[in-house]
Amino acid sequence: MQPKRFCSLLICLCLLAGAPAALAKPTHAEALFAAHPELGFPLTQDPQTDPLLMLVNRQHRLDARFKPELVTPKVAKKRGADIDLHPEAARALERLFDAAKAEGLSLSAISGYRSYGTQRTIYERSVERNGQARADRMSAPPGASEHQTGLAMDVSCKSLDHELTSAFSRKPEGKWVAAHCSEYGFILRYRKEWQDITGYQGEPWHIRYIGPQHAAAITALDVPFETYHAYLALVWQQQNEAPAVP
Ligand code: DAL
Ligand code: ZN
């Protein structure tokens, strides 16, 4: 290449590397923020440090020693299941199970808090049984599971013999959970249409507590938690921007 053309190419590349945000494609969160600059309620805490909004996935992992405060919710469960949860999530789960019961539905709790070590065992077994690629679509490596936060619960029902299967989404219990869990502060964390973002195939049984206000907002926006979390950072930034000096 002629030196002159090479220089022009170099200048172009440099300009692109330092391109202003306007040239870059907006992220989903930025587009969401442009369409919905108001959340509808004020954020009282920085979403990045709010313990109930903790984002845990492969990119945001927990330390092996992380262990939340835990209590055992008083709900129906599979025999022998470990269903401890963070206290606020546990109370909310009790309300959710009571409401389902009042509708004649029989939910069962299958798996709540899991330590780093327990998650490692589950993940390694899944890799052995299913191979790396398949295991990675179903199971989180240690440190990357929401179950370590104490804010996630896997739920099933009697008629499925308490199994965690995609058939749950077609059962009255699964439909009810999908339609009503946000009223109790939970979200369906892994919808199958979001697998490119969450990394996991659909899990209609995995619910995550984030509190009723955020659960209502994210449900209305119909986005995965990864996107909502990034969106909240933009809302927080706007909320805390100093007002312009006249
Ligand atoms: N099955 C979910 C992704 C977990 O292992 O936490
Ligand atoms: Zn789960």
Side-chain angles (χ1 to χ4, degrees), residues 23-45:
L23 269 183
K25 216 171 156 210
T27 65
H28 196 169
E30 283 162 353
L32 192 65
F33 180 63
H36 304 275
E38 302 291 335
L39 185 58
F41 57 92
L43 290 170
T44 51
Q45 204 178 332

Side-chain angles (χ1 to χ4, degrees), residues 111 114 145 147 152-154 164 190 203 205-207:
S111 181
R114 299 200 289 253
S145 176
H147 285 274
M153 179 63 79
D154 293 335
L164 299 177
Y190 306 118
E203 290 195 0
W205 59 82
H206 177 113
I207 56 174

